[in-house]
Amino acid sequence: MAQTKTQTQLLIHTVKILREKCAWTRALTHESLRTYLIEESYEVLDAISEHNPQLLKEELGDLYFQIVLHALIEEEQGQFGLEDISQTLNEKLLRRNRHIFDADGNVRDEITQDVNEIIRVWDAAKQAERKDLPKVRKNAGLPAALPSLTLAQKLLDRHSRAGSDKVDEQIIGQDIRDRITDEDSLANELLALTARAQELGLDAESVLRVTLAKRYGAETEATVSPKSPSKR
């Protein structure tokens, strides 16, 4: 009696057929898929904001399709497949969550609920992984393509947790602390700064990214320009 395939197996089978018989799908590469991966990620965020489970299920499926495609492209080149991705992720989760799992992957009898200790264990595991590896990524391990505001906040957090002297206390003057005290005042300040950038003909996203590169050695994309893009 033939074993019934899981929905995941059926999905992979369908995508493999598309890669074989659909000219458009067959022509897709890691590079050409980049924009779709970003768009689908933002659509997932929109679905989360709408608190719509049905929509979220659909958008997560679209995002998962991107992951399946990337995996199959590598599988076709004899590199790795979805099973390898799952194995790598599982091993990483076991390794980085030592407050839950011991070295053999067994659940510990006593598990700390101290969030600071959990973060410390996670950071220590990440540092141990990188210890003997060549440094191939800047930005404290953060992707350079992150929006610059997100990148800035995460960089400051990483450097602060590492006790780095690159976290300059002079970035925040007392006048800023007095002026920004809650979400509303922060939002108004960010909007005002964006409006001022518009008046000056500057692209706020790129200006911040360039500053991050100067202060923290963060990577920037070759297309970054401090000038605002032309209106369409």
Side-chain angles (χ1 to χ4, degrees):
M1 183 176 175
Q3 185 177 7
T4 303
K5 289 186 177 181
T6 66
Q7 291 299 319
T8 299
Q9 290 171 324
L10 289 172
L11 169 65
I12 295 170
H13 179 66
T14 298
V15 179
K16 283 184 175 180
I17 292 176
L18 288 172
R19 285 287 293 175
E20 178 185 349
K21 300 185 180 298
C22 173
W24 187 86
T25 308
R26 185 170 59 247
L28 293 171
T29 65
H30 289 311
E31 290 70 28
S32 65
L33 281 167
R34 286 176 55 145
T35 184
Y36 299 113
L37 182 61
I38 294 171
E39 287 176 7
E40 299 298 354
S41 298
Y42 279 114
E43 289 183 7
V44 169
L45 295 179
D46 284 346
I48 292 173
S49 298
E50 292 187 26
H51 303 286
N52 185 330
Q54 185 62 34
L55 179 61
L56 179 58
K57 179 176 67 174
E58 181 179 342
E59 297 300 349
L60 284 172
D62 290 343
L63 181 58
Y64 187 44
F65 179 42
Q66 301 300 310
I67 296 171
V68 172
L69 280 169
H70 282 289
L72 288 182
I73 290 171
E74 286 299 312
E75 188 176 271
E76 293 162 2
Q77 298 172 4
Q79 297 299 321
F80 59 80
L82 274 172
E83 284 294 313
D84 302 297
I85 294 173
S86 297
Q87 178 184 354
T88 299
L89 175 58
N90 187 55
E91 291 174 350
K92 179 187 288 187
L93 292 173
L94 292 172
R95 189 170 60 246
R96 291 191 178 179
N97 288 281
R98 287 292 190 233
H99 64 292
I100 300 291
F101 306 102
D102 62 22
D104 296 321
N106 300 313
V107 178
R108 297 182 183 278
D109 294 329
E110 295 187 12
I111 299 174
T112 181
Q113 301 302 315
D114 185 336
V115 175
N116 290 329
E117 175 63 12
I118 293 171
I119 293 174
R120 187 198 67 77
V121 171
W122 177 276
D123 286 341
K126 288 179 66 174
Q127 291 303 318
E129 291 171 9
R130 297 172 182 164
K131 183 179 179 182
D132 299 319
L133 295 175
K135 186 175 181 181
V136 294
R137 293 179 65 187
K138 297 180 182 179
N139 301 351
L142 296 167
L146 278 175
S148 62
L149 189 59
T150 301
L151 179 59
Q153 193 153 11
K154 287 184 175 292
L155 272 172
L156 290 169
D157 178 61
R158 293 282 176 94
H159 284 295
S160 177
R161 280 159 52 184
S164 172
D165 57 5
K166 289 186 178 180
V167 180
D168 188 353
E169 282 294 325
Q170 294 181 354
I171 292 176
I172 310 175
Q174 189 57 47
D175 60 328
I176 294 178
R177 286 194 171 93
D178 292 340
R179 200 163 61 243
I180 303 174
T181 58
D182 55 21
E183 278 189 34
D184 288 340
S185 55
L186 173 61
N188 290 334
E189 191 79 9
L190 289 173
L191 184 58
L193 290 172
T194 305
R196 181 57 177 153
Q198 186 71 12
E199 287 182 346
L200 295 171
L202 298 173
D203 178 51
E205 168 77 15
S206 299
V207 168
L208 178 57
R209 190 174 295 278
V210 170
T211 298
L212 292 174
K214 292 177 180 177
R215 282 184 177 270
Y216 303 106
E219 290 181 337
T220 58
E221 297 181 15
T223 56
V224 164
S225 170
K227 298 295 182 182
S228 291
S230 302
K231 291 183 175 64
R232 293 187 292 174

